[in-house]
Amino acid sequence: MSADRAAPTIVDVARAAGVSKSLVSLAIRGDVGVSDATRTRILAVADDLGYRSNVLARGLARGRTQVIGVLVSDLSNPYHADVVAGIESRALDAGLGTVIGHGRSRPEVLAARLDQILDLGVDGVIVVSAMLAAEALDAAATRRPLVMVGRPFTQPRRVSVVRNHDERGAALALDHLLSLGHRRIVHLASSRRAAASARRHAYGEAMTRADLPATTLWVDEGGTAALLAASGTPEGPTACFAGNDRTAAALLHDALDAGLDVPARLSIVGYDDAQIARQVRPGLTTVAQPREAIGREAARLLLSRIDGDRDTVEVTLEPSLTVRGTTAAPC
């Protein structure tokens, strides 16, 4: 089709196939009332003409688009990418398309993208971010069904939430290190968001139960360098629980560059079980979040709300510990 030629319409398809416009519409929608042979012929004619059905416009006319929106803080974050994969898998099973908005880890961009997604008339939205205020999420939920993935500081009123059990995961990490015989365990933190705060709090509680001192070091305050310097002393830390795999992998890299033996001199546990945990050497011991399962559960909840269920629920999925090569008994 030349650039200046108008796009073919359903009328063009009907004329070329020698059938009525309504029969073409039935065939393209996959509705009953059209024989397999006729449907195949109509679809072949539509393909030859370059006809593309406007699914969004047709859905808006019926009040449903069969498309859901997904708003993500940071697509470069492996955790977010895996959650989105789970959402798309469940949506595909239900015959739904997805529209993805990327907030670039900036609250103002996230808010703008959320409005844009809602303006498309999607059937519902899943927000994979804890950066939006509860008020913004609640307002959006008055326009379309909305489900949030993550841990908000404040629970929105009309929004269902799916999250990982951050406290349980931190407890698993500390139980593992304590069972190996570590007693000087520090926490290396890089985020002050709700999920990270929950992990940090659980670390402190686990150390208190073990009657051990708790020490949190912050990456943005030179915590990594301080940790590595202290690890080379007789009374320095022998293990570190990092707030996420990115922080843990960076610590592993810096430790090896500094000539520190991991795990003989310093054991490291991360959180997420992101792809990087399997790529570094030695492989990273980490708390595994069921990321794709979280995405699928979020999509299931959203589909239920789209179908009329107005109950607001919070679903918490359990993490597990994956032991690899960065942890061992202290020397």
Side-chain angles (χ1 to χ4, degrees), residues 158-189:
R158 287 180 279 261
V159 179
S160 289
V161 174
V162 182
R163 67 177 183 88
N164 166 71
H165 200 317
D166 297 291
E167 300 92 341
R168 189 72 51 79
L172 289 172
L174 269 295
D175 287 348
H176 172 62
L177 291 172
L178 290 168
S179 71
L180 290 172
H182 292 280
R183 294 298 178 265
R184 300 190 300 276
I185 307 168
V186 302
H187 178 53
L188 187 60

Side-chain angles (χ1 to χ4, degrees), residues 113-189:
R113 293 290 180 268
L114 179 56
D115 281 341
Q116 290 167 353
I117 289 173
L118 291 169
D119 287 344
L120 290 174
V122 295
D123 294 335
V125 180
I126 298 173
V127 175
V128 189
S129 173
M131 298 180 69
L132 284 171
E135 294 78 10
L137 293 170
D138 186 61
T142 64
R143 298 176 61 185
R144 289 290 188 277
L146 195 147
V147 172
M148 176 185 173
V149 172
R151 176 193 286 268
F153 275 114
T154 305
Q155 177 75 40
R157 288 179 297 165
R158 287 180 279 261
V159 179
S160 289
V161 174
V162 182
R163 67 177 183 88
N164 166 71
H165 200 317
D166 297 291
E167 300 92 341
R168 189 72 51 79
L172 289 172
L174 269 295
D175 287 348
H176 172 62
L177 291 172
L178 290 168
S179 71
L180 290 172
H182 292 280
R183 294 298 178 265
R184 300 190 300 276
I185 307 168
V186 302
H187 178 53
L188 187 60

Side-chain angles (χ1 to χ4, degrees), residues 11 20 36 40 72 92 124-125 225 245 274 316:
V11 174
S20 68
D36 290 342
T40 299
V72 183
L92 183 62
V125 180
D245 283 347
T316 303

Side-chain angles (χ1 to χ4, degrees), residues 8 14 23 214 303:
L23 193 61
L303 293 175

Side-chain angles (χ1 to χ4, degrees), residues 47-58:
D47 187 59
D48 288 343
L49 291 177
Y51 172 77
R52 295 293 180 268
S53 174
N54 190 334
V55 176
L56 184 60
R58 192 171 67 240

